[in-house]
Amino acid sequence: MFRQLECFIEICKEGSFTKAADVLMISQPTLSQQIRFLEGEVGTPLFERVGRGVKISAAGEILYEKALSVKRLIEESKEETYALRNVRANKLSIGISSIDCFSIIPRFLTFQQQYPDIALKFASAENPSQQLLDSRIDIGITDNHEPNKEIHTMHLYKEEQALVVYADHPWADRTTVFFQELEELEFPLYVKDVSIIEQLHSFSAKLAKSLQSKFESTSTAILLFIVLQKLGVAIVPVSLVGSFFGAQLRMIRLVDPTPVREIKLIFKKYHSNNPSVQKCIDFFLEQSKKELVIC
């Protein structure tokens, strides 16, 4: 129908089927056929023959104004869609938790240097999988992702976790502690990582009870502050220990086993509407290859 309206508008402008066919670069029989189809739709003739040209009929004048409005709306829609596509192509919304900022932000700074036209927006990753599905973020950085057929995951890196105690804790002078020794703790133990919590529950009933503390938080900064206040000890990522409170805390590495977090990049399976997502995926894949070469 839109093609028929285009033909109709051009004939009105040129006052001739022949001239309109030349402008539209189609044959005159094809043009005449399009108009016959259109007249069949509206149920009335749209032109009157006048010498070698045509004159628009009264019904045609009504349709002409409507056709121009339709054409304008379609052109505006194309422009707005193009603008929206370009805006999305130059914007990347990232869901990330505060615990991962210290390790991953430098990588995104390198990404931004490589793609300076892409604006990065960071959002708190409370539930990155659901945030992805709801299109509130374009990608997520997480260590806790529930499998979903609409979401792909990509390994980024693994990060060691260690025990943190306050400066005058009885273990403060130790550099390593065997994992099973945690059962000997006389202080509440705070852990944010779900996999470690499950491991501790299966390992020791005493530790499981210790984890049932009246203080709970999803913030690593708050857990470290609790340790600073001598209200207990915590297991947190190694990279964060020096970032908070410095010498007032002591880090003790855990061995046999050494707990680690696997950090993943998650993104929707179908993300072609935002080219920035694929650029980010390609960037981290390239980074992974470089790290393997260095290793």
Side-chain angles (χ1 to χ4, degrees), residues 101-199:
C101 286
F102 293 91
S103 297
I104 202 70
I105 292 298
R107 301 182 183 218
F108 276 110
L109 291 177
T110 303
F111 171 79
Q112 213 280 323
Q113 289 171 358
Q114 188 169 328
Y115 298 100
D117 294 335
I118 298 178
L120 303 181
K121 177 184 177 182
F122 294 94
S124 176
E126 299 169 359
N127 185 345
S129 297
Q130 192 59 51
Q131 287 169 281
L132 267 181
L133 295 174
D134 294 342
S135 297
R136 286 179 284 161
I137 59 175
D138 298 312
I139 62 171
I141 308 296
T142 183
D143 65 341
N144 183 26
H145 164 64
E146 296 181 4
N148 186 298
K149 63 181 181 179
E150 299 297 325
I151 297 176
H152 282 179
T153 65
M154 187 177 83
H155 169 80
L156 291 181
Y157 60 92
K158 289 185 178 181
E159 183 175 33
E160 178 184 351
Q161 302 203 74
L163 182 69
V164 176
V165 302
Y166 45 88
D168 55 351
H169 184 276
W171 288 4
D173 293 331
R174 300 187 61 175
T175 56
T176 60
V177 166
F178 286 100
F179 196 83
Q180 65 255 29
E181 290 184 81
L182 293 175
E183 194 171 20
E184 301 172 14
L185 282 170
E186 298 299 331
F187 301 85
L189 175 64
Y190 298 96
V191 183
K192 177 179 177 292
D193 190 286
V194 175
S195 62
I196 294 180
I197 291 174
E198 292 174 350
Q199 192 174 4

Side-chain angles (χ1 to χ4, degrees), residues 10-21 31 52-54:
E10 203 57 46
I11 294 170
C12 293
K13 289 180 178 179
E14 298 296 332
S16 164
F17 273 68
T18 302
K19 292 179 181 179
L31 179 60
R52 294 184 177 181
V54 291

Side-chain angles (χ1 to χ4, degrees), residues 35-261:
I35 297 304
R36 283 197 298 272
F37 287 151
L38 185 59
E39 289 177 331
E41 289 289 334
V42 297
T44 185
L46 298 173
F47 296 102
E48 299 172 0
R49 289 285 177 181
V50 179
R52 294 184 177 181
V54 291
K55 176 184 176 183
I56 188 171
S57 67
E61 289 179 358
I62 295 173
L63 180 61
Y64 180 65
E65 294 302 322
K66 303 296 184 184
L68 289 176
S69 297
V70 170
K71 185 177 181 180
R72 280 194 298 268
L73 286 173
I74 292 176
E75 288 173 350
E76 288 173 7
S77 297
K78 287 180 179 179
E79 290 173 359
E80 291 174 11
T81 301
Y82 177 79
L84 177 62
R85 187 167 60 250
N86 280 350
V87 167
R88 296 208 60 180
N90 293 320
K91 186 176 181 180
L92 191 65
S93 180
I94 306 149
I96 185 172
S97 66
S98 58
I99 193 174
D100 294 316
C101 286
F102 293 91
S103 297
I104 202 70
I105 292 298
R107 301 182 183 218
F108 276 110
L109 291 177
T110 303
F111 171 79
Q112 213 280 323
Q113 289 171 358
Q114 188 169 328
Y115 298 100
D117 294 335
I118 298 178
L120 303 181
K121 177 184 177 182
F122 294 94
S124 176
E126 299 169 359
N127 185 345
S129 297
Q130 192 59 51
Q131 287 169 281
L132 267 181
L133 295 174
D134 294 342
S135 297
R136 286 179 284 161
I137 59 175
D138 298 312
I139 62 171
I141 308 296
T142 183
D143 65 341
N144 183 26
H145 164 64
E146 296 181 4
N148 186 298
K149 63 181 181 179
E150 299 297 325
I151 297 176
H152 282 179
T153 65
M154 187 177 83
H155 169 80
L156 291 181
Y157 60 92
K158 289 185 178 181
E159 183 175 33
E160 178 184 351
Q161 302 203 74
L163 182 69
V164 176
V165 302
Y166 45 88
D168 55 351
H169 184 276
W171 288 4
D173 293 331
R174 300 187 61 175
T175 56
T176 60
V177 166
F178 286 100
F179 196 83
Q180 65 255 29
E181 290 184 81
L182 293 175
E183 194 171 20
E184 301 172 14
L185 282 170
E186 298 299 331
F187 301 85
L189 175 64
Y190 298 96
V191 183
K192 177 179 177 292
D193 190 286
V194 175
S195 62
I196 294 180
I197 291 174
E198 292 174 350
Q199 192 174 4
L200 290 168
H201 273 276
S202 62
F203 177 71
S204 167
K206 180 183 176 182
L207 283 173
K209 186 176 180 180
S210 173
L211 290 169
Q212 296 174 357
S213 169
K214 59 183 178 181
F215 291 104
E216 291 186 8
S217 176
T218 57
S219 167
T220 301
I222 291 176
L223 293 185
L224 290 173
F225 186 77
I226 289 173
V227 176
L228 187 67
Q229 297 301 309
K230 302 182 181 181
L231 298 173
V233 298
I235 296 177
V236 300
V238 169
S239 64
L240 294 183
V241 179
S243 303
F244 296 93
F245 312 115
Q248 300 176 73
L249 298 176
R250 298 287 186 272
M251 182 183 77
I252 306 172
R253 295 188 181 274
L254 293 166
V255 295
D256 197 25
T258 297
V260 296
R261 298 169 65 236

Side-chain angles (χ1 to χ4, degrees), residues 238-284:
V238 169
S239 64
L240 294 183
V241 179
S243 303
F244 296 93
F245 312 115
Q248 300 176 73
L249 298 176
R250 298 287 186 272
M251 182 183 77
I252 306 172
R253 295 188 181 274
L254 293 166
V255 295
D256 197 25
T258 297
V260 296
R261 298 169 65 236
E262 182 185 5
I263 313 304
K264 303 172 185 175
L265 175 73
I266 62 174
F267 52 92
K268 281 198 285 191
K269 183 178 180 181
Y270 302 105
H271 55 270
S272 57
N273 62 331
N274 187 349
S276 295
V277 174
Q278 189 59 51
K279 289 178 181 177
C280 185
I281 295 169
D282 294 340
F283 169 81
F284 278 109

